[in-house]
Amino acid sequence: MAAEALTPEAVFNQLNDTFSDYELTYDENVPCIIVPANAIRDVAMQLRDAEEYAFDYLMSLSGVDNGDETLGVVYHLYSFTYKNQLTLKVIVPKEDPKLKSVARIWLTADWHEREAYDLVGMTFEGHPDHRRILMPYDWEGHPLRKDYEVPEFYNGMKVPY
Amino acid sequence: MGLLSQQFDNSNIVITSVEGVLNWARLCSLWQMSFGLACCAIEMMAASASHYDIMRFGVLPRPSPRQCDVMIVAGTVTLKMATRVKRLYEQMAEPRYVVSMGSCSNCGGPYWEHGYHVLKGVDRVIPVDVYVPGCPPRPEALLEGWMRLQEKVRDFTLVKDSSKQTTEKQVA
């Protein structure tokens, strides 16, 4: 076991060596690692299982509409071994918002990914139960997108005031 | 009353109409459907607890809509829930009453403008007898609403009200 928790930058540098095929970037303004959509599962696996990281706990997974024709997913990780925290981000284009699911890696992600899909509308490939979680199954659209417009009616019920 | 007056040995007798007895019996045993939708349900539970003791009005919470007289819509009615609320209401036996408790179920409350998922008033899907304002209403307010509902039940009659041209919309 390493004596001290790694800084986000140190984690990034090590990951960058491990995953030289993927283009990882580091955002030093808000210390986080930006991971390509197709790399997130491999990176997540490494962060959870490698002894020097041991991020065994996904604190939160949030969907974001960045407002610039991209959607984002933010992962907040925690390591009980090192009491260390790390933030990952995935940015996907709005017209084709697909990324790999981490629900098999951290079970917490199961419902969180469903929520992100439900409200922001990105697709998590490989999710075991990919469907809406809050809105009714026959709801159209994803309400937390910036360009979302409230429907006039839902099942014959008027929606606006 | 000429025939009966002064004909009894003791005063242990009550004279009333059948309608009066039925209404009195019903208003003193309005059974409530036990379900809550949001924070208003906490106040509703407080009204049931010992301090406010809504049971002294003859209110029993029942787990099935078929055994209930009153539905207290306590909380935010989402569009997803609205279809369920409507179905539960339809399963209640007549005569049935609805108390809309709190701003959300009255008119959408704080979600009136940006609540894409909230029904702006439960009266858009089921008829409401009493509206209790508040966010959430205190248990006293619910008790007040309950007594208003009792007044409504007490005044129920099959006789036409000749003073009114149009008959009042009867909730049934």
Side-chain angles (χ1 to χ4, degrees):
Chain A
M1 188 199 282
E4 276 188 36
L6 295 165
T7 63
E9 199 163 8
V11 173
F12 166 71
N13 289 331
Q14 291 191 25
L15 279 180
N16 221 1
D17 294 340
T18 317
F19 297 103
S20 47
D21 301 349
Y22 299 128
E23 278 183 39
L24 306 181
T25 40
Y26 181 69
D27 183 352
E28 58 191 16
N29 296 322
V30 189
C32 69
I33 300 170
I34 299 172
V35 183
N38 60 346
I40 182 65
R41 188 179 287 157
D42 294 342
V43 171
M45 205 67 184
Q46 175 77 2
L47 286 173
R48 189 194 70 175
D49 289 346
E51 233 170 66
E52 66 268 33
Y53 308 127
F55 285 107
D56 45 5
Y57 179 48
L58 177 67
M59 290 192 289
S60 159
L61 185 155
S62 339
V64 187
D65 184 345
N66 292 323
D68 56 359
E69 297 307 309
T70 61
L71 305 178
V73 180
V74 185
Y75 305 77
H76 289 93
L77 308 181
Y78 186 78
S79 163
F80 277 98
T81 312
Y82 299 107
K83 298 183 171 47
N84 193 14
Q85 298 183 18
L86 182 73
T87 308
L88 304 178
K89 275 185 194 173
V90 172
I91 296 169
V92 287
K94 208 170 186 176
E95 59 265 33
D96 187 29
K98 281 184 188 154
L99 65 156
K100 286 190 174 171
S101 166
V102 296
R104 301 275 192 208
I105 299 169
W106 295 288
L107 290 183
T108 314
D110 186 332
W111 283 16
H112 285 219
E113 285 182 351
R114 282 177 65 187
E115 187 195 32
Y117 158 70
D118 191 356
L119 300 178
V120 192
M122 60 282 286
T123 309
F124 294 90
E125 291 171 330
H127 191 281
D129 185 21
H130 202 282
R131 61 196 167 113
R132 288 183 184 274
I133 190 168
L134 295 167
M135 303 301 290
Y137 297 136
D138 58 351
W139 191 266
E140 282 174 19
H142 303 281
L144 292 193
R145 284 206 182 175
K146 304 272 187 207
D147 57 359
Y148 180 74
E149 279 177 23
V150 178
E152 274 297 303
F153 285 92
Y154 168 71
N155 277 354
M157 292 175 284
K158 194 178 162 220
V159 179
Y161 183 72
Chain B
M1 300 295 277
L3 277 177
L4 294 174
S5 69
Q6 311 295 316
Q7 297 298 307
F8 297 97
D9 294 334
N10 62 48
S11 62
N12 194 10
I13 189 163
V14 178
I15 296 175
T16 179
S17 63
V18 174
E19 200 172 75
V21 175
L22 285 179
N23 284 349
W24 168 77
R26 271 172 45 207
L27 73 88
C28 292
S29 63
L30 288 168
W31 287 5
Q32 165 211 345
M33 201 155 94
S34 67
F35 85 112
L37 299 181
C39 34
C40 281
I42 305 293
E43 297 297 303
M44 186 179 72
M45 286 183 265
S48 308
S50 54
H51 196 89
Y52 293 96
D53 190 21
I54 202 172
M55 212 175 264
R56 65 200 147 113
F57 293 94
V59 179
L60 283 184
R62 301 304 296 174
S64 159
R66 300 184 197 282
Q67 301 173 351
C68 299
D69 305 293
V70 188
M71 172 193 264
I72 302 179
V73 185
T76 315
V77 185
T78 59
L79 292 163
K80 196 175 176 180
M81 192 64 197
T83 46
R84 277 83 165 168
V85 168
K86 189 161 185 280
R87 175 170 293 187
L88 286 168
Y89 176 76
E90 284 162 354
Q91 287 175 342
M92 290 164 70
E94 293 175 5
R96 52 196 171 184
Y97 304 92
V98 175
V99 175
S100 167
M101 183 182 179
S103 298
C104 289
S105 113
N106 288 344
C107 62
Y111 310 101
W112 72 278
E113 193 175 9
H114 299 296
Y116 55 87
H117 60 306
V118 174
L119 186 70
K120 311 300 186 298
V122 75
D123 51 6
R124 290 188 179 184
V125 289
I126 55 174
V128 174
D129 293 273
V130 176
Y131 296 86
V132 180
C135 188
R138 286 189 55 86
E140 296 99 308
L142 183 62
L143 295 186
E144 169 72 18
W146 201 266
M147 288 187 280
R148 293 293 175 96
L149 181 65
Q150 288 188 321
E151 289 308 311
K152 197 164 177 168
V153 178
R154 182 175 282 127
D155 296 340
F156 182 78
T157 177
L158 298 175
V159 181
K160 242 184 213 167
D161 188 351
S162 55
S163 67
K164 285 181 188 166
Q165 282 297 324
T166 53
T167 48
E168 209 174 306
K169 194 189 152 204
Q170 206 49 261
V171 177

